[in-house]
Amino acid sequence: MAEGQEVQWIEVTEGQVGQRVDNFLMTRLKGVPRSLVYRIVRKGEVRVNKKRVKAEHRLELGDMVRIPPLRVAPREAVREVSDNLRNLLAGSVLLEGPDWMVLNKPSGLAVHGGSGVKIGLIEALRQVREDLDFLELVHRLDRDTSGCLLLAKSRPALLALNTSLKQHQMNKQYLALVAGRWPARRDFVSARLDRYDAGNGERRVRVDPAGKVSRTRFAVRETFAGATLVEAEPITGRTHQIRVHAAHAGHALLGDDKYGTREGLQLGRRLGLSRLFLHAASLSFPEPSNGRTVQIRAPLGPDLEAVLTRARR
């Protein structure tokens, strides 16, 4: 697969100011694996104003970026977006503003490629939306989690939305089906969380007194025989936070093959659950350009609605 047979010189525009060199290249070089991007930067084949730079170097207005000709071996090329995935992403857009968009992310689709994943949501969407020069994730969702996912379509919007996230001006509510009867009075779980390597490069999270402060608000939405539908709002934003906090409280999420129990997995199978029952149901954030609150809801998919219907019987 040939990506380009001659050197390109690209001038940095206003919307790209402050962007890291690696992210700039990933946007420009659609279909090129991240490992190759880092390789050409490390070898000095990418230059900014004729000078070698590191991947984390941030671009300024008017910078001239040299991109070398690339030839990508078929085995390392990022997979082209299939028609099915293209249609799925097109149908997943919940709302789009001038400099942001919110998707109802499908379960099973990683937000990033890597670790055996040839193509992730962001790489696929950059191929699908060729009209956009800039597209970055504002936050992430686990591969098996569905629901509201916010992306920025300009560098200023990304910076503004990241600031809103850090200042707790962005609210995210999830729906989760957990094992057992969640106590109505238990509305918060506070437990420090620590990430660790579980082997084979797999990341896991555990409760650890030496970990980072983590807090999740829980509210009971509906009770069933052997399970409870809860609304979860992460006050902090740690990896796998809702899943680990629920398991720590003795009510692991159904369909959770990392932190769930054997009994919970069996119950999920009896209810016809074939995935993690965790859905980012709503998201609110300040509009980057004017500060007005944007509020978006993502409906539960038919597969999760069917599980709830069976649980009510």
Side-chain angles (χ1 to χ4, degrees):
M1 167 183 168
E3 278 297 326
Q5 298 306 313
E6 58 184 36
V7 171
Q8 300 180 66
W9 285 94
I10 308 295
E11 184 174 357
V12 174
T13 62
E14 190 171 333
Q16 298 157 338
V17 171
Q19 192 172 16
R20 285 172 50 125
V21 165
D22 53 356
N23 289 331
F24 174 85
L25 293 171
M26 290 300 298
T27 301
R28 301 291 310 187
L29 302 173
K30 301 183 193 303
V32 173
R34 187 174 291 269
S35 58
L36 179 54
V37 167
Y38 284 112
R39 193 187 314 157
I40 61 176
V41 173
R42 190 171 59 250
K43 289 183 176 180
E45 296 179 52
V46 174
R47 303 281 178 122
V48 176
N49 301 329
K50 300 184 179 180
K51 297 179 181 177
R52 294 178 68 132
V53 293
K54 294 183 178 180
E56 62 269 22
H57 175 85
R58 295 194 180 273
L59 298 170
E60 297 180 3
L61 185 64
D63 279 350
M64 296 300 298
V65 182
R66 177 192 188 273
I67 302 178
L70 297 177
R71 185 176 294 277
V72 183
R75 62 179 175 79
E76 62 176 356
V78 172
R79 192 176 72 227
E80 292 294 321
V81 179
S82 66
D83 288 341
N84 284 343
L85 180 54
R86 187 179 293 271
N87 293 336
L88 180 63
L89 291 175
S92 297
V93 177
L94 292 169
L95 195 61
E96 187 167 352
D99 51 7
W100 54 266
M101 74 169 70
V102 178
L103 298 184
N104 185 357
K105 187 189 89 64
S107 174
L109 180 61
V111 294
H112 266 303
S115 301
V117 179
K118 273 289 187 181
I119 189 167
L121 180 144
I122 187 65
E123 292 89 3
L125 203 56
R126 283 170 180 155
Q127 290 188 43
V128 172
R129 292 297 300 269
E130 294 181 355
D131 58 309
L132 300 177
D133 290 329
F134 184 99
L135 193 60
E136 292 290 344
L137 296 162
V138 176
H139 63 104
R140 300 186 180 196
L141 291 177
D142 292 345
R143 180 173 184 169
D144 295 327
T145 303
S146 56
C148 294
L149 181 68
L150 178 60
L151 301 97
K153 299 196 293 186
S154 73
R155 182 71 188 172
L158 178 63
L159 295 175
L161 292 167
N162 280 339
T163 298
S164 298
L165 192 59
K166 290 175 184 175
Q167 295 179 350
H168 303 289
Q169 297 172 336
M170 191 176 294
N171 295 313
K172 294 178 281 185
Q173 279 83 35
Y174 294 74
L175 288 176
L177 188 62
V178 303
R181 183 176 290 271
W182 187 281
R185 292 183 179 180
R186 180 151 203 180
D187 51 0
F188 281 98
V189 173
S190 297
R192 289 176 175 265
L193 299 179
D194 180 54
R195 289 174 58 175
Y196 69 99
D197 187 353
N200 299 324
E202 184 184 8
R203 64 178 186 177
R204 292 282 184 98
V205 177
R206 61 190 166 200
V207 173
D208 190 321
K212 293 181 178 179
V213 172
S214 306
R215 198 166 194 233
T216 307
R217 182 188 67 82
F218 289 94
V220 173
R221 290 283 298 271
E222 192 173 355
T223 56
F224 312 98
T228 309
L229 181 67
V230 297
E231 181 180 88
E233 179 184 354
I235 308 303
T236 51
R238 313 300 180 202
T239 300
H240 298 171
Q241 177 176 314
I242 294 172
R243 299 164 67 179
V244 178
H245 273 175
H248 179 66
H251 302 278
L253 271 63
L254 298 191
D256 193 340
D257 58 4
K258 279 190 171 73
Y259 307 106
T261 62
R262 181 183 300 176
E263 293 77 15
L265 290 171
Q266 289 174 345
L267 174 59
R269 283 193 289 271
R270 287 200 299 273
L271 294 174
L273 183 62
S274 58
R275 50 159 289 199
L276 175 72
F277 200 121
L278 183 60
H279 178 73
S282 68
L283 172 69
S284 65
F285 58 91
E287 171 84 47
S289 59
N290 56 38
R292 285 198 289 264
T293 299
V294 178
Q295 187 150 12
I296 301 171
R297 296 194 67 84
L300 277 177
D303 56 341
L304 298 187
E305 285 286 8
V307 169
L308 295 181
T309 298
R310 294 186 194 99
R312 293 184 183 110
R313 292 173 182 165

